[in-house]
Amino acid sequence: MTEYYDVIVVGGGNAGLSAAHAAREQVDKVLVLEKAGSDWAGGNSYFTAGAFRTTFSSLEELLPLLDERDEAFLQRTALPPYTPEQFLQDMQRTTKGRCDPELTAILVQEAAETIRWLHQKGLRFRLMYDRQSFQVDGEFRFWGGLALGTVNGGKGLIEQHLQAAAASGIEVRFNSPVVDLECDMTGAVCGVICSPPGRERQRIRAGAVVLAAGGFEANPQLRTCYLGPGWDLARVRGTPYNTGEVLFAALALGAQSYGHWSGCHSVAWDVAAPPHGDRFLTNLLTKQSYPLGIVVNSQGKRFLDEGADFRNYTYARYGAEIMKQPDGIAFQLFDAKTEPLLRKDEYTAPGVSRFEALTIRELAQKAGIDADGLEETVTTFNAAVMRDVKFNPAIKDGKGTVGITPRKSNWAQPLDTPPYYAFAVTCGITFTFGGLRIDPNGRVLDRLNLPMPGLYAAGELVGGLFYHNYPGGAGLMAGSVFGRRAGRAAGQWSRERRALDRAS
Ligand SMILES: Cc1cc2nc3c(=O)[nH]c(=O)nc-3n(C[C@H](O)[C@H](O)[C@H](O)COP(=O)(O)OP(=O)(O)OC[C@H]3O[C@@H](n4cnc5c(N)ncnc54)[C@H](O)[C@@H]3O)c2cc1C
């Protein structure tokens, strides 16, 4: 007997599980098919810090959402509001005005409401003091429009999602890769072909199918084809299972491709990191405090503006800049003044590629940087730092450099206080930007811009939101906003379709 579900969701990350919760509000039988085994549950979402970019008018508005709170900290917390207008501006600015206007408007308008919905489902939130605030004059000052994260990061996010799914009777089936989609005689999508390892292929029928199987960042061949030469060599920050076959199955069926196919999110990633994500260290292999120091290549030369903006608005495009350097590696440098401000968890994680020395020359020799080149860079940089501006890491302080290229626009301080520290990094790819085109209800559009009946999508597999760059925390938020919309619409469509079938 062929199995039947009201809604099948393909992919068990944050977008897929958000879709499953929303579908379950509409229909009884919801199945999540996940390619990985349970030991790799959660896709890329597991590897995240659980940071959600949501909007709020005040700290008070977030208080009812906080499941982990410390009153003493709260008394000393300075959290500037982050409005839908600011979120919209950040999306437009980071994507150079290319983000899809309709989808982006929904993302920024529904972020806060979607967070409340996730909280009702059982997701637990906290303020990310450790990652998104600095202590200035006795206060914890948040910066960069990002404050809210899940308790226990991405690991907590997936645990809480799966608990919520189990509690509402959603079935999650691991080791169940979807290899194709099925259509009925009217052309409507009516199921999937699943190919569990070592077993016969299964046809599973469904009233509607939501695709949430991630991008193609873990597929070296597709990375080279779409991102360009050299990208096959990038380290993958998250799951090895996002290899693009579901995305390409939908394209083969007539879905419209959309978004920045030669673009991706990529960051500074520890040079000793394994080829794919590490389930224990997850996002600790990233190195995100570079705005406080300088970044050089193996010749000792700077190649980017470390202080162009808060880390949240530059980190996702700096992996690609590192990729362009000799051997695709770079070094983040700090001194005794800035080292205490580094994100502790990332810079002291086990096995981190860290070097320490009392002189710049010795540091260069230990780290494998050209010593003459580095000494010259540091001397020139130190001389270029504006002395009369006060350093403040919690605002864009305008303490930049004068007369050097590239300039450092904010947070420039001379590297002059030993010991000195170097951290070796390479390019870690997070996710790809190209994907399927959806309408506001998550319906997949065909090449004529018409909805493909029965087919919905959400998450990294959707294109059109991110181009060139990305505001930190927008991936999980977009996955939940559009996962919820897609799941709800899929559930409704499935119900109506069944009613019609019964009537005819
Ligand atoms: C290290 C790291 C840190 C990050 N930190 C953050 C953060 O703090 N905040 C933020 O907003 N974003 C962050 N991101 C980005 C974020 O992970 C993504 O935007 C988001 O998780 C995407 O969710 P998704 O559900 O679309 O994809 P995923 O979570 O990757 O889920 C896709 C799922 O589909 C499954 N799948 C793939 N192919 C098939 C198939 N054929 N059949 C069935 N299932 C299949 C995969 O196994 C996977 O489980 C981070 C990413 C990484 C890697």
Side-chain angles (χ1 to χ4, degrees), residues 10-11 13-15 33-35 42-45 47-51 177-178 212-214 237-238 241-242 245-246 430 459-460 470 473-476:
V10 182
N14 175 63
L33 290 172
E34 168 53 52
K35 178 179 177 183
N44 270 354
S45 307
F47 291 87
T48 67
V178 167
R237 296 177 68 207
Y241 291 96
N242 287 354
E245 61 275 9
V246 172
T430 318
E460 286 173 355
Y470 154 110
L476 290 176

PDB file of all heavy atoms in Angstrom, residues 10-11 13-15 33-35 42-45 47-51 177-178 212-214 237-238 241-242 245-246 430 459-460 470 473-476, ligand 1:
ATOM      1  N   VAL A  10       9.981  18.130   3.059  1.00  0.00           N
ATOM      2  CA  VAL A  10      11.262  17.508   2.700  1.00  0.00           C
ATOM      3  C   VAL A  10      12.387  18.322   3.341  1.00  0.00           C
ATOM      4  O   VAL A  10      12.642  19.463   2.943  1.00  0.00           O
ATOM      5  CB  VAL A  10      11.440  17.453   1.166  1.00  0.00           C
ATOM      6  CG1 VAL A  10      12.753  16.760   0.811  1.00  0.00           C
ATOM      7  CG2 VAL A  10      10.254  16.749   0.511  1.00  0.00           C
ATOM      8  N   GLY A  11      13.041  17.759   4.351  1.00  0.00           N
ATOM      9  CA  GLY A  11      14.126  18.447   5.041  1.00  0.00           C
ATOM     10  C   GLY A  11      13.733  18.826   6.453  1.00  0.00           C
ATOM     11  O   GLY A  11      12.710  19.484   6.661  1.00  0.00           O
ATOM     12  N   GLY A  13      15.339  20.787   8.843  1.00  0.00           N
ATOM     13  CA  GLY A  13      16.011  21.904   9.509  1.00  0.00           C
ATOM     14  C   GLY A  13      14.975  22.883  10.054  1.00  0.00           C
ATOM     15  O   GLY A  13      13.783  22.546  10.181  1.00  0.00           O
ATOM     16  N   ASN A  14      15.431  24.088  10.355  1.00  0.00           N
ATOM     17  CA  ASN A  14      14.511  25.071  10.944  1.00  0.00           C
ATOM     18  C   ASN A  14      13.347  25.415  10.010  1.00  0.00           C
ATOM     19  O   ASN A  14      12.205  25.520  10.460  1.00  0.00           O
ATOM     20  CB  ASN A  14      15.292  26.353  11.295  1.00  0.00           C
ATOM     21  CG  ASN A  14      14.381  27.448  11.797  1.00  0.00           C
ATOM     22  OD1 ASN A  14      13.736  27.295  12.827  1.00  0.00           O
ATOM     23  ND2 ASN A  14      14.307  28.545  11.065  1.00  0.00           N
ATOM     24  N   ALA A  15      13.621  25.583   8.720  1.00  0.00           N
ATOM     25  CA  ALA A  15      12.545  25.955   7.794  1.00  0.00           C
ATOM     26  C   ALA A  15      11.537  24.810   7.685  1.00  0.00           C
ATOM     27  O   ALA A  15      10.317  25.026   7.732  1.00  0.00           O
ATOM     28  CB  ALA A  15      13.115  26.307   6.419  1.00  0.00           C
ATOM     29  N   LEU A  33      10.381  14.242   5.940  1.00  0.00           N
ATOM     30  CA  LEU A  33      11.351  13.271   5.427  1.00  0.00           C
ATOM     31  C   LEU A  33      12.735  13.911   5.483  1.00  0.00           C
ATOM     32  O   LEU A  33      12.977  14.956   4.859  1.00  0.00           O
ATOM     33  CB  LEU A  33      11.009  12.882   3.990  1.00  0.00           C
ATOM     34  CG  LEU A  33       9.744  12.045   3.834  1.00  0.00           C
ATOM     35  CD1 LEU A  33       9.391  11.875   2.362  1.00  0.00           C
ATOM     36  CD2 LEU A  33       9.899  10.688   4.517  1.00  0.00           C
ATOM     37  N   GLU A  34      13.628  13.315   6.218  1.00  0.00           N
ATOM     38  CA  GLU A  34      14.967  13.877   6.421  1.00  0.00           C
ATOM     39  C   GLU A  34      16.010  12.884   5.903  1.00  0.00           C
ATOM     40  O   GLU A  34      16.013  11.721   6.278  1.00  0.00           O
ATOM     41  CB  GLU A  34      15.173  14.175   7.918  1.00  0.00           C
ATOM     42  CG  GLU A  34      16.593  14.484   8.340  1.00  0.00           C
ATOM     43  CD  GLU A  34      17.255  15.597   7.523  1.00  0.00           C
ATOM     44  OE1 GLU A  34      16.684  16.674   7.396  1.00  0.00           O
ATOM     45  OE2 GLU A  34      18.381  15.356   7.005  1.00  0.00           O
ATOM     46  N   LYS A  35      16.872  13.404   5.060  1.00  0.00           N
ATOM     47  CA  LYS A  35      17.893  12.565   4.422  1.00  0.00           C
ATOM     48  C   LYS A  35      18.890  11.979   5.431  1.00  0.00           C
ATOM     49  O   LYS A  35      19.291  10.820   5.338  1.00  0.00           O
ATOM     50  CB  LYS A  35      18.630  13.459   3.419  1.00  0.00           C
ATOM     51  CG  LYS A  35      19.768  12.850   2.660  1.00  0.00           C
ATOM     52  CD  LYS A  35      20.298  13.950   1.729  1.00  0.00           C
ATOM     53  CE  LYS A  35      21.478  13.569   0.923  1.00  0.00           C
ATOM     54  NZ  LYS A  35      21.938  14.725   0.110  1.00  0.00           N
ATOM     55  N   GLY A  42      18.778  18.023  11.990  1.00  0.00           N
ATOM     56  CA  GLY A  42      18.731  19.487  12.084  1.00  0.00           C
ATOM     57  C   GLY A  42      19.431  20.265  10.997  1.00  0.00           C
ATOM     58  O   GLY A  42      19.392  21.492  11.004  1.00  0.00           O
ATOM     59  N   GLY A  43      20.080  19.583  10.058  1.00  0.00           N
ATOM     60  CA  GLY A  43      20.712  20.290   8.939  1.00  0.00           C
ATOM     61  C   GLY A  43      21.649  21.388   9.403  1.00  0.00           C
ATOM     62  O   GLY A  43      22.266  21.292  10.476  1.00  0.00           O
ATOM     63  N   ASN A  44      21.748  22.440   8.612  1.00  0.00           N
ATOM     64  CA  ASN A  44      22.581  23.578   8.996  1.00  0.00           C
ATOM     65  C   ASN A  44      22.055  24.248  10.259  1.00  0.00           C
ATOM     66  O   ASN A  44      22.823  24.856  11.014  1.00  0.00           O
ATOM     67  CB  ASN A  44      22.613  24.617   7.868  1.00  0.00           C
ATOM     68  CG  ASN A  44      23.743  24.359   6.899  1.00  0.00           C
ATOM     69  OD1 ASN A  44      24.564  23.472   7.117  1.00  0.00           O
ATOM     70  ND2 ASN A  44      23.798  25.140   5.837  1.00  0.00           N
ATOM     71  N   SER A  45      20.754  24.152  10.456  1.00  0.00           N
ATOM     72  CA  SER A  45      20.155  24.857  11.593  1.00  0.00           C
ATOM     73  C   SER A  45      20.762  24.398  12.921  1.00  0.00           C
ATOM     74  O   SER A  45      20.882  25.188  13.857  1.00  0.00           O
ATOM     75  CB  SER A  45      18.642  24.634  11.598  1.00  0.00           C
ATOM     76  OG  SER A  45      18.090  24.974  10.341  1.00  0.00           O
ATOM     77  N   PHE A  47      23.812  23.743  13.433  1.00  0.00           N
ATOM     78  CA  PHE A  47      25.157  24.317  13.596  1.00  0.00           C
ATOM     79  C   PHE A  47      25.139  25.803  13.952  1.00  0.00           C
ATOM     80  O   PHE A  47      26.183  26.404  14.171  1.00  0.00           O
ATOM     81  CB  PHE A  47      25.967  24.117  12.302  1.00  0.00           C
ATOM     82  CG  PHE A  47      26.312  22.680  12.073  1.00  0.00           C
ATOM     83  CD1 PHE A  47      25.435  21.836  11.414  1.00  0.00           C
ATOM     84  CD2 PHE A  47      27.504  22.158  12.545  1.00  0.00           C
ATOM     85  CE1 PHE A  47      25.735  20.503  11.225  1.00  0.00           C
ATOM     86  CE2 PHE A  47      27.816  20.825  12.364  1.00  0.00           C
ATOM     87  CZ  PHE A  47      26.929  19.987  11.693  1.00  0.00           C
ATOM     88  N   THR A  48      23.955  26.396  13.966  1.00  0.00           N
ATOM     89  CA  THR A  48      23.878  27.843  14.157  1.00  0.00           C
ATOM     90  C   THR A  48      24.102  28.233  15.613  1.00  0.00           C
ATOM     91  O   THR A  48      24.117  27.398  16.519  1.00  0.00           O
ATOM     92  CB  THR A  48      22.480  28.372  13.756  1.00  0.00           C
ATOM     93  OG1 THR A  48      21.525  27.862  14.691  1.00  0.00           O
ATOM     94  CG2 THR A  48      22.095  27.933  12.359  1.00  0.00           C
ATOM     95  N   ALA A  49      24.203  29.562  15.787  1.00  0.00           N
ATOM     96  CA  ALA A  49      24.177  30.100  17.151  1.00  0.00           C
ATOM     97  C   ALA A  49      22.724  30.246  17.612  1.00  0.00           C
ATOM     98  O   ALA A  49      22.476  30.696  18.728  1.00  0.00           O
ATOM     99  CB  ALA A  49      24.863  31.457  17.169  1.00  0.00           C
ATOM    100  N   GLY A  50      21.792  29.935  16.734  1.00  0.00           N
ATOM    101  CA  GLY A  50      20.371  30.108  17.061  1.00  0.00           C
ATOM    102  C   GLY A  50      19.957  31.565  17.059  1.00  0.00           C
ATOM    103  O   GLY A  50      18.922  31.924  17.629  1.00  0.00           O
ATOM    104  N   ALA A  51      20.739  32.418  16.377  1.00  0.00           N
ATOM    105  CA  ALA A  51      20.464  33.858  16.373  1.00  0.00           C
ATOM    106  C   ALA A  51      19.352  34.182  15.381  1.00  0.00           C
ATOM    107  O   ALA A  51      19.474  33.865  14.194  1.00  0.00           O
ATOM    108  CB  ALA A  51      21.730  34.623  16.007  1.00  0.00           C
ATOM    109  N   PRO A 177      16.095  10.087   2.241  1.00  0.00           N
ATOM    110  CA  PRO A 177      16.342  11.083   1.199  1.00  0.00           C
ATOM    111  C   PRO A 177      15.257  11.081   0.129  1.00  0.00           C
ATOM    112  O   PRO A 177      14.874  10.020  -0.354  1.00  0.00           O
ATOM    113  CB  PRO A 177      17.683  10.656   0.580  1.00  0.00           C
ATOM    114  CG  PRO A 177      18.009   9.327   1.133  1.00  0.00           C
ATOM    115  CD  PRO A 177      17.090   9.009   2.268  1.00  0.00           C
ATOM    116  N   VAL A 178      14.797  12.249  -0.212  1.00  0.00           N
ATOM    117  CA  VAL A 178      13.845  12.385  -1.320  1.00  0.00           C
ATOM    118  C   VAL A 178      14.656  12.564  -2.594  1.00  0.00           C
ATOM    119  O   VAL A 178      15.576  13.390  -2.650  1.00  0.00           O
ATOM    120  CB  VAL A 178      12.907  13.576  -1.075  1.00  0.00           C
ATOM    121  CG1 VAL A 178      12.131  13.948  -2.328  1.00  0.00           C
ATOM    122  CG2 VAL A 178      11.942  13.232   0.063  1.00  0.00           C
ATOM    123  N   ALA A 212      12.158  21.892   1.771  1.00  0.00           N
ATOM    124  CA  ALA A 212      12.994  22.690   2.692  1.00  0.00           C
ATOM    125  C   ALA A 212      14.314  21.945   2.891  1.00  0.00           C
ATOM    126  O   ALA A 212      14.762  21.729   4.014  1.00  0.00           O
ATOM    127  CB  ALA A 212      12.266  22.899   4.017  1.00  0.00           C
ATOM    128  N   ALA A 213      14.906  21.539   1.770  1.00  0.00           N
ATOM    129  CA  ALA A 213      16.075  20.651   1.816  1.00  0.00           C
ATOM    130  C   ALA A 213      17.402  21.399   1.678  1.00  0.00           C
ATOM    131  O   ALA A 213      18.427  20.805   1.347  1.00  0.00           O
ATOM    132  CB  ALA A 213      15.943  19.587   0.724  1.00  0.00           C
ATOM    133  N   GLY A 214      17.395  22.705   1.950  1.00  0.00           N
ATOM    134  CA  GLY A 214      18.651  23.457   1.971  1.00  0.00           C
ATOM    135  C   GLY A 214      19.180  23.767   0.581  1.00  0.00           C
ATOM    136  O   GLY A 214      18.560  23.450  -0.443  1.00  0.00           O
ATOM    137  N   ARG A 237      30.622  24.717   6.485  1.00  0.00           N
ATOM    138  CA  ARG A 237      30.473  25.001   7.915  1.00  0.00           C
ATOM    139  C   ARG A 237      29.447  24.093   8.587  1.00  0.00           C
ATOM    140  O   ARG A 237      29.456  23.943   9.799  1.00  0.00           O
ATOM    141  CB  ARG A 237      30.016  26.444   8.120  1.00  0.00           C
ATOM    142  CG  ARG A 237      31.006  27.468   7.658  1.00  0.00           C
ATOM    143  CD  ARG A 237      30.442  28.861   7.838  1.00  0.00           C
ATOM    144  NE  ARG A 237      30.303  29.217   9.228  1.00  0.00           N
ATOM    145  CZ  ARG A 237      29.416  30.077   9.714  1.00  0.00           C
ATOM    146  NH1 ARG A 237      28.560  30.665   8.905  1.00  0.00           N
ATOM    147  NH2 ARG A 237      29.382  30.359  10.997  1.00  0.00           N
ATOM    148  N   GLY A 238      28.541  23.567   7.814  1.00  0.00           N
ATOM    149  CA  GLY A 238      27.440  22.836   8.439  1.00  0.00           C
ATOM    150  C   GLY A 238      27.320  21.415   7.925  1.00  0.00           C
ATOM    151  O   GLY A 238      28.308  20.691   7.745  1.00  0.00           O
ATOM    152  N   TYR A 241      24.860  17.177   4.091  1.00  0.00           N
ATOM    153  CA  TYR A 241      23.718  16.598   3.363  1.00  0.00           C
ATOM    154  C   TYR A 241      23.013  17.580   2.426  1.00  0.00           C
ATOM    155  O   TYR A 241      22.128  17.178   1.669  1.00  0.00           O
ATOM    156  CB  TYR A 241      22.702  16.008   4.356  1.00  0.00           C
ATOM    157  CG  TYR A 241      23.243  14.787   5.052  1.00  0.00           C
ATOM    158  CD1 TYR A 241      23.827  14.879   6.309  1.00  0.00           C
ATOM    159  CD2 TYR A 241      23.211  13.547   4.428  1.00  0.00           C
ATOM    160  CE1 TYR A 241      24.344  13.763   6.943  1.00  0.00           C
ATOM    161  CE2 TYR A 241      23.725  12.420   5.053  1.00  0.00           C
ATOM    162  CZ  TYR A 241      24.297  12.541   6.310  1.00  0.00           C
ATOM    163  OH  TYR A 241      24.818  11.429   6.916  1.00  0.00           O
ATOM    164  N   ASN A 242      23.368  18.861   2.478  1.00  0.00           N
ATOM    165  CA  ASN A 242      22.696  19.826   1.593  1.00  0.00           C
ATOM    166  C   ASN A 242      23.402  19.855   0.243  1.00  0.00           C
ATOM    167  O   ASN A 242      24.252  20.696  -0.023  1.00  0.00           O
ATOM    168  CB  ASN A 242      22.679  21.225   2.226  1.00  0.00           C
ATOM    169  CG  ASN A 242      21.701  21.332   3.370  1.00  0.00           C
ATOM    170  OD1 ASN A 242      20.951  20.391   3.623  1.00  0.00           O
ATOM    171  ND2 ASN A 242      21.708  22.441   4.069  1.00  0.00           N
ATOM    172  N   GLU A 245      19.972  18.090  -4.547  1.00  0.00           N
ATOM    173  CA  GLU A 245      19.178  17.249  -5.463  1.00  0.00           C
ATOM    174  C   GLU A 245      17.687  17.587  -5.452  1.00  0.00           C
ATOM    175  O   GLU A 245      17.009  17.459  -6.479  1.00  0.00           O
ATOM    176  CB  GLU A 245      19.410  15.748  -5.191  1.00  0.00           C
ATOM    177  CG  GLU A 245      19.030  15.247  -3.819  1.00  0.00           C
ATOM    178  CD  GLU A 245      20.127  15.452  -2.786  1.00  0.00           C
ATOM    179  OE1 GLU A 245      21.120  16.129  -3.074  1.00  0.00           O
ATOM    180  OE2 GLU A 245      19.959  14.924  -1.666  1.00  0.00           O
ATOM    181  N   VAL A 246      17.185  18.040  -4.317  1.00  0.00           N
ATOM    182  CA  VAL A 246      15.753  18.374  -4.252  1.00  0.00           C
ATOM    183  C   VAL A 246      15.496  19.669  -5.029  1.00  0.00           C
ATOM    184  O   VAL A 246      14.524  19.773  -5.792  1.00  0.00           O
ATOM    185  CB  VAL A 246      15.304  18.491  -2.782  1.00  0.00           C
ATOM    186  CG1 VAL A 246      13.881  19.016  -2.694  1.00  0.00           C
ATOM    187  CG2 VAL A 246      15.408  17.129  -2.098  1.00  0.00           C
ATOM    188  N   THR A 430      28.643  28.788   4.117  1.00  0.00           N
ATOM    189  CA  THR A 430      27.490  28.553   4.988  1.00  0.00           C
ATOM    190  C   THR A 430      26.316  28.032   4.172  1.00  0.00           C
ATOM    191  O   THR A 430      25.804  26.959   4.427  1.00  0.00           O
ATOM    192  CB  THR A 430      27.086  29.864   5.698  1.00  0.00           C
ATOM    193  OG1 THR A 430      28.259  30.540   6.118  1.00  0.00           O
ATOM    194  CG2 THR A 430      26.189  29.588   6.879  1.00  0.00           C
ATOM    195  N   GLY A 459      13.168  28.286   3.235  1.00  0.00           N
ATOM    196  CA  GLY A 459      14.544  28.106   3.735  1.00  0.00           C
ATOM    197  C   GLY A 459      15.589  28.379   2.679  1.00  0.00           C
ATOM    198  O   GLY A 459      15.362  29.084   1.688  1.00  0.00           O
ATOM    199  N   GLU A 460      16.759  27.791   2.896  1.00  0.00           N
ATOM    200  CA  GLU A 460      17.914  28.051   2.032  1.00  0.00           C
ATOM    201  C   GLU A 460      17.671  27.688   0.578  1.00  0.00           C
ATOM    202  O   GLU A 460      18.388  28.147  -0.304  1.00  0.00           O
ATOM    203  CB  GLU A 460      19.106  27.219   2.527  1.00  0.00           C
ATOM    204  CG  GLU A 460      19.737  27.738   3.786  1.00  0.00           C
ATOM    205  CD  GLU A 460      20.790  26.787   4.320  1.00  0.00           C
ATOM    206  OE1 GLU A 460      20.961  25.680   3.763  1.00  0.00           O
ATOM    207  OE2 GLU A 460      21.427  27.147   5.300  1.00  0.00           O
ATOM    208  N   TYR A 470      24.464  39.592   3.561  1.00  0.00           N
ATOM    209  CA  TYR A 470      23.331  39.116   4.357  1.00  0.00           C
ATOM    210  C   TYR A 470      23.435  39.723   5.750  1.00  0.00           C
ATOM    211  O   TYR A 470      24.540  39.798   6.285  1.00  0.00           O
ATOM    212  CB  TYR A 470      23.495  37.608   4.331  1.00  0.00           C
ATOM    213  CG  TYR A 470      22.952  36.771   5.428  1.00  0.00           C
ATOM    214  CD1 TYR A 470      21.855  35.953   5.195  1.00  0.00           C
ATOM    215  CD2 TYR A 470      23.562  36.710   6.675  1.00  0.00           C
ATOM    216  CE1 TYR A 470      21.384  35.113   6.183  1.00  0.00           C
ATOM    217  CE2 TYR A 470      23.080  35.874   7.662  1.00  0.00           C
ATOM    218  CZ  TYR A 470      21.996  35.080   7.410  1.00  0.00           C
ATOM    219  OH  TYR A 470      21.521  34.242   8.374  1.00  0.00           O
ATOM    220  N   GLY A 473      21.636  36.569  11.241  1.00  0.00           N
ATOM    221  CA  GLY A 473      20.395  36.167  11.904  1.00  0.00           C
ATOM    222  C   GLY A 473      19.186  36.152  10.983  1.00  0.00           C
ATOM    223  O   GLY A 473      18.088  35.748  11.394  1.00  0.00           O
ATOM    224  N   ALA A 474      19.377  36.566   9.707  1.00  0.00           N
ATOM    225  CA  ALA A 474      18.234  36.631   8.786  1.00  0.00           C
ATOM    226  C   ALA A 474      17.881  35.256   8.214  1.00  0.00           C
ATOM    227  O   ALA A 474      16.754  35.057   7.752  1.00  0.00           O
ATOM    228  CB  ALA A 474      18.511  37.618   7.656  1.00  0.00           C
ATOM    229  N   GLY A 475      18.822  34.311   8.225  1.00  0.00           N
ATOM    230  CA  GLY A 475      18.560  32.993   7.636  1.00  0.00           C
ATOM    231  C   GLY A 475      17.519  32.219   8.426  1.00  0.00           C
ATOM    232  O   GLY A 475      16.549  31.697   7.860  1.00  0.00           O
ATOM    233  N   LEU A 476      17.708  32.132   9.727  1.00  0.00           N
ATOM    234  CA  LEU A 476      16.729  31.414  10.550  1.00  0.00           C
ATOM    235  C   LEU A 476      15.389  32.141  10.524  1.00  0.00           C
ATOM    236  O   LEU A 476      14.327  31.519  10.448  1.00  0.00           O
ATOM    237  CB  LEU A 476      17.235  31.292  11.992  1.00  0.00           C
ATOM    238  CG  LEU A 476      18.412  30.340  12.203  1.00  0.00           C
ATOM    239  CD1 LEU A 476      18.882  30.379  13.650  1.00  0.00           C
ATOM    240  CD2 LEU A 476      18.056  28.903  11.815  1.00  0.00           C
TER     241      LEU A 476
HETATM  242  C1  LIG B   1      27.832  27.216  11.343  1.00  0.00           C
HETATM  243  C2  LIG B   1      26.588  27.965  10.959  1.00  0.00           C
HETATM  244  C3  LIG B   1      26.109  28.975  11.788  1.00  0.00           C
HETATM  245  C4  LIG B   1      24.966  29.680  11.419  1.00  0.00           C
HETATM  246  N1  LIG B   1      24.449  30.586  12.302  1.00  0.00           N
HETATM  247  C5  LIG B   1      23.268  31.173  12.014  1.00  0.00           C
HETATM  248  C6  LIG B   1      22.593  31.963  12.996  1.00  0.00           C
HETATM  249  O1  LIG B   1      22.993  32.033  14.158  1.00  0.00           O
HETATM  250  N2  LIG B   1      21.451  32.596  12.617  1.00  0.00           N
HETATM  251  C7  LIG B   1      20.911  32.463  11.362  1.00  0.00           C
HETATM  252  O2  LIG B   1      19.891  33.074  11.065  1.00  0.00           O
HETATM  253  N3  LIG B   1      21.488  31.652  10.445  1.00  0.00           N
HETATM  254  C8  LIG B   1      22.632  31.005  10.752  1.00  0.00           C
HETATM  255  N4  LIG B   1      23.180  30.144   9.836  1.00  0.00           N
HETATM  256  C9  LIG B   1      22.462  29.947   8.557  1.00  0.00           C
HETATM  257  C10 LIG B   1      21.302  28.978   8.849  1.00  0.00           C
HETATM  258  O3  LIG B   1      21.832  27.727   9.174  1.00  0.00           O
HETATM  259  C11 LIG B   1      20.374  28.794   7.693  1.00  0.00           C
HETATM  260  O4  LIG B   1      19.934  29.992   7.160  1.00  0.00           O
HETATM  261  C12 LIG B   1      19.136  27.976   8.131  1.00  0.00           C
HETATM  262  O5  LIG B   1      19.476  27.048   9.108  1.00  0.00           O
HETATM  263  C13 LIG B   1      18.558  27.268   6.963  1.00  0.00           C
HETATM  264  O6  LIG B   1      17.546  26.401   7.366  1.00  0.00           O
HETATM  265  P1  LIG B   1      16.967  25.349   6.351  1.00  0.00           P
HETATM  266  O7  LIG B   1      15.925  24.609   7.098  1.00  0.00           O
HETATM  267  O8  LIG B   1      16.645  25.993   5.062  1.00  0.00           O
HETATM  268  O9  LIG B   1      18.202  24.378   6.014  1.00  0.00           O
HETATM  269  P2  LIG B   1      18.867  23.254   6.902  1.00  0.00           P
HETATM  270  O10 LIG B   1      18.795  23.584   8.336  1.00  0.00           O
HETATM  271  O11 LIG B   1      20.211  23.016   6.332  1.00  0.00           O
HETATM  272  O12 LIG B   1      17.938  21.990   6.671  1.00  0.00           O
HETATM  273  C14 LIG B   1      17.892  21.326   5.427  1.00  0.00           C
HETATM  274  C15 LIG B   1      17.667  19.852   5.704  1.00  0.00           C
HETATM  275  O13 LIG B   1      17.333  19.204   4.481  1.00  0.00           O
HETATM  276  C16 LIG B   1      17.909  17.914   4.510  1.00  0.00           C
HETATM  277  N5  LIG B   1      17.997  17.391   3.141  1.00  0.00           N
HETATM  278  C17 LIG B   1      18.884  17.721   2.173  1.00  0.00           C
HETATM  279  N6  LIG B   1      18.640  16.997   1.054  1.00  0.00           N
HETATM  280  C18 LIG B   1      17.569  16.213   1.336  1.00  0.00           C
HETATM  281  C19 LIG B   1      16.846  15.221   0.593  1.00  0.00           C
HETATM  282  N7  LIG B   1      17.206  14.872  -0.646  1.00  0.00           N
HETATM  283  N8  LIG B   1      15.802  14.602   1.182  1.00  0.00           N
HETATM  284  C20 LIG B   1      15.438  14.903   2.467  1.00  0.00           C
HETATM  285  N9  LIG B   1      16.107  15.823   3.229  1.00  0.00           N
HETATM  286  C21 LIG B   1      17.155  16.461   2.650  1.00  0.00           C
HETATM  287  C22 LIG B   1      19.256  18.146   5.150  1.00  0.00           C
HETATM  288  O14 LIG B   1      19.806  16.942   5.652  1.00  0.00           O
HETATM  289  C23 LIG B   1      18.899  19.152   6.241  1.00  0.00           C
HETATM  290  O15 LIG B   1      18.597  18.495   7.448  1.00  0.00           O
HETATM  291  C24 LIG B   1      24.308  29.405  10.183  1.00  0.00           C
HETATM  292  C25 LIG B   1      24.764  28.366   9.387  1.00  0.00           C
HETATM  293  C26 LIG B   1      25.880  27.633   9.779  1.00  0.00           C
HETATM  294  C27 LIG B   1      26.332  26.498   8.908  1.00  0.00           C
END
